[in-house]
């Protein structure tokens, strides 16, 4: 089940949560350095990472599942967050250029319909970043952080799910190599943990971070058949 949105908010306000936010935001921004003129959205609890795109992207939206709850975001500005059903997003086909999924897939009731809905709303060859607990990492086995809840994944498991949903994984990585404990000595050395862990123990990071591309071709009867392009973005009003 989804964690309550207040629990997620409170985690990212802790010293360990601030470290997790900084390290993940760095990884996400490295994958998407330029989003000018594009529509960028998140599903789950992506607001800690969307701020970097607000001044550049044409449109930004934070979709928060009804089972999790929603926060008003951003504070003091026009609201860009919305409460949604994660199996039926309130946008038309091909609406989103880049979609960040964090604190969402691992708690989805049904993975394959969930991923097919993401495929529907992404533009042809649109990009998806999925952040999920790493089955091999320590964070998935400690329930004092949000990444200790829901289903952890191995790379082969996530690769198979994405491929079945007509996504092609492009870039794989891990993040959160610092142990998931709110200790000052660990917090202060988080950058060193991340550098060393990503180079020497890359498979043991707390989360898997994968960028994938939406495909409009799929195998059919041993051949490759083109999937009909869907409608252009028409906002639902």
């Amino acid at each position: 089940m989804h964690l309550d949105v207040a629990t997620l908010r409170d985690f990212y306000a802790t010293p360990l949560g601030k470290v997790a936010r900084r390290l993940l935001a760095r990884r996400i921004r490295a994958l998407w350095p330029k989003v000018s003129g594009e529509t960028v959205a998140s599903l789950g609890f992506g607001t800690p990472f969307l701020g970097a795109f607000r001044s550049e992207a044409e449109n930004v939206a934070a979709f928060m599942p009804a089972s999790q709850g929603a926060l008003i975001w951003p504070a003091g500005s026009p609201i860009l967050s919305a409460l949604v059903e994660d199996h039926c997003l309130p946008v038309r086909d091909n609406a989103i250029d880049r979609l960040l999924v964090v604190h969402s897939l691992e708690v989805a009731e049904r993975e394959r319909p969930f991923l097919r809905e993401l495929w529907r709303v992404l533009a042809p060859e649109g990009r998806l970043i999925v952040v999920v607990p790493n089955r091999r990492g320590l964070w998935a086995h400690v329930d004092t952080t949000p990444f200790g809840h829901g289903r952890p994944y191995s790379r082969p498991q996530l690769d198979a799910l994405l491929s079945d949903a007509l996504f092609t994984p492009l870039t794989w990585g891990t993040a959160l190599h610092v142990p998931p404990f709110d200790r000052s000595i660990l917090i202060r050395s988080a950058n060193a943990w991340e550098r060393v862990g990503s180079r020497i123990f890359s498979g043991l990071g707390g989360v898997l971070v994968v960028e994938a591309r939406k495909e409009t071709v799929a195998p059919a009867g041993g051949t490759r058949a083109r999937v009909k392009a869907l409608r252009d973005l028409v906002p639902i009003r």
Side-chain angles (χ1 to χ4, degrees):
M1 61 180 294
H2 287 269
L3 289 174
D4 184 85
V5 69
T7 301
L8 292 163
R9 177 200 61 199
D10 293 346
F11 167 72
Y12 283 106
T14 66
L16 182 62
K18 291 176 181 178
V19 165
R21 174 178 182 170
R22 183 179 76 248
L23 296 176
L24 284 174
R26 183 187 304 163
R27 180 61 59 87
I28 292 164
R29 190 58 169 168
L31 291 172
W32 291 348
K34 297 180 180 179
V35 297
S36 179
E38 297 185 325
T39 295
V40 179
S42 69
L43 177 60
F45 192 71
T47 55
F49 315 106
L50 286 182
F53 301 112
R54 286 180 58 204
S55 62
E56 183 183 348
E58 182 175 352
N59 299 295
V60 174
F63 297 125
M64 299 183 177
S67 53
Q68 169 189 287
L71 295 175
I72 293 176
W73 180 85
S77 298
I79 297 173
L80 301 177
S81 59
L83 191 70
V84 301
E85 296 291 346
D86 56 15
H87 61 277
C88 185
L89 298 179
V91 293
R92 295 193 185 276
D93 304 340
N94 297 332
I96 297 168
D97 298 298
R98 298 177 188 259
L99 181 58
L100 169 65
V101 178
V102 58
H103 300 303
S104 189
L105 175 60
E106 66 268 29
V107 291
E109 183 175 347
R110 295 189 298 161
E111 298 161 304
R112 285 175 175 79
F114 175 91
L115 288 168
R116 293 299 294 158
E117 179 66 359
L118 304 188
W119 189 93
R120 181 188 71 80
V121 301
L122 271 172
E125 299 195 356
R127 300 300 177 94
L128 173 75
I129 289 178
V130 178
V131 180
V132 292
N134 179 11
R135 182 177 295 279
R136 297 179 61 195
L138 182 58
W139 287 65
H141 304 285
V142 178
D143 63 7
T144 54
T145 84
F147 296 105
H149 297 260
R151 296 177 298 271
Y153 292 88
S154 66
R155 176 169 170 172
Q157 288 173 327
L158 187 56
D159 182 77
L161 282 172
L162 291 170
S163 297
D164 286 348
L166 297 181
F167 289 103
T168 296
L170 302 174
T171 304
W172 288 91
T174 56
L176 305 186
H177 293 270
V178 61
F181 306 113
D182 214 339
R183 303 289 186 270
S184 59
I185 189 171
L186 296 176
I187 301 301
R188 292 195 301 269
S189 59
N191 288 336
W193 279 95
E194 202 71 4
R195 286 194 304 271
V196 173
S198 61
R199 294 174 183 173
I200 302 176
F201 306 106
S202 59
L204 301 180
V207 296
L208 296 172
V209 182
V210 56
E211 182 188 27
R213 178 180 63 222
K214 172 182 173 174
E215 300 294 352
T216 55
V217 293
T223 64
R224 296 187 69 81
R226 180 162 296 277
V227 178
K228 184 179 179 181
L230 302 174
R231 295 186 296 276
D232 292 335
L233 166 62
V234 179
I236 293 177
R237 299 184 183 278

